[in-house]
C-alpha cells in the first residue's frame, strides 16, 4: 500500500466512526432530523430484536421519537467497534460494516419533569439494554452514510 492509500483508509475509518458516534448522540438527544440525515435515502433500521420496528430511516425515526418519550434520560455507550472498509485490492472501497457492542442505560419517566426527576418516593426506575449493533455504510457525495442499522439486543434489566 502507498502512503496515500493508507491515509485514505485512516480518513475513512475516522469518518465512519464519526457517523456511529453521531447515531448515538442523535438518539440520546432526540434529534430525529440528525438521525435521518445519517442515512442514505434508502437507508433502513431494524429494532425488531428489541421489540421495536423495522423500516425506512424516516419510519424508524418517527417510531423512536414516540417511544423515547418514555425515557427522558438516555445514554448510548457504543464500544468495541470493529470497522471493516471494503478492500478493492489494496484500495478502500465505497462500503463498510461496523459491528459494535452497546450498553444503553435509560431512566423511565417518573412523576417530575427534569433529568433529575426522582419520580416520587420510589424514584423513576432505570432500564438498561445491551447487545450489538451492525452498521452497514455507503460512501455518498455527502460522505459516509448508514445504509442499514440492525440492533441485536442480548439482554435488558429494569431496576428501581
Amino acid at each position: 500500500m502507498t502512503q496515500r492509500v493508507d491515509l485514505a483508509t485512516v480518513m475513512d475509518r475516522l469518518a465512519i466512526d464519526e457517523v456511529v458516534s453521531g447515531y448515538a448522540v442523535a438518539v440520546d438527544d432526540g434529534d430525529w432530523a440528525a438521525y435521518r440525515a445519517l442515512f442514505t435515502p434508502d437507508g433502513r433500521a431494524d429494532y425488531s430484536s428489541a421489540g421495536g420496528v423495522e423500516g425506512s430511516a424516516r419510519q424508524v425515526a418517527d417510531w423512536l421519537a414516540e417511544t423515547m418519550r418514555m425515557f427522558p434520560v438516555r445514554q448510548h455507550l457504543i464500544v468495541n467497534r470493529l470497522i471493516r472498509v471494503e478492500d478493492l485490492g489494496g484500495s478502500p472501497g465505497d462500503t463498510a460494516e461496523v459491528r459494535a457492542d452497546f450498553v444503553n442505560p435509560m431512566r423511565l419517566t417518573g412523576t417530575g419533569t427534569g433529568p433529575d426527576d426522582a419520580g416520587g418516593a420510589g424514584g423513576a426506575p432505570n432500564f438498561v439494554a445491551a447487545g450489538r449493533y451492525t452498521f452497514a455504510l455507503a460512501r455518498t457525495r455527502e460522505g459516509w452514510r448508514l445504509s442499514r442499522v440492525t440492533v441485536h439486543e442480548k439482554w435488558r434489566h429494569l431496576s428501581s
Side-chain angles (χ1 to χ4, degrees), residues 19-159:
V19 171
V20 171
S21 293
Y23 169 89
V25 169
V27 173
D28 291 345
D29 291 351
D31 187 345
W32 308 118
Y35 178 92
R36 288 181 194 95
L38 292 168
F39 285 82
T40 61
D42 61 345
R44 299 187 67 76
D46 183 354
Y47 289 74
S48 58
S49 79
V53 299
E54 189 280 333
S56 70
R58 177 168 296 287
Q59 291 167 324
V60 173
D62 292 345
W63 172 78
L64 283 168
E66 186 62 33
T67 302
M68 290 298 119
R69 289 180 187 195
M70 293 187 310
F71 305 101
V73 179
R74 50 194 181 264
Q75 182 178 22
H76 273 76
L77 305 172
I78 300 179
V79 299
N80 301 334
R81 299 170 192 216
L82 181 59
I83 300 172
R84 300 278 190 227
V85 179
E86 177 186 28
D87 183 350
L88 298 177
S91 296
D94 293 334
T95 63
E97 182 179 275
V98 178
R99 288 186 347 177
D101 295 330
F102 71 88
V103 177
N104 187 10
M106 298 179 282
R107 164 83 36 115
L108 284 160
T109 303
T111 58
T113 58
D116 297 325
D117 170 20
N126 293 311
F127 177 84
V128 180
R132 178 167 289 157
Y133 282 114
T134 302
F135 298 97
L137 295 99
R139 185 190 315 269
T140 71
R141 290 183 182 166
E142 294 78 32
W144 286 95
R145 295 292 183 264
L146 297 166
S147 56
R148 182 146 186 99
V149 174
T150 305
V151 177
H152 309 277
E153 187 177 87
K154 293 183 178 183
W155 61 269
R156 60 175 58 183
H157 178 71
L158 180 65
S159 65

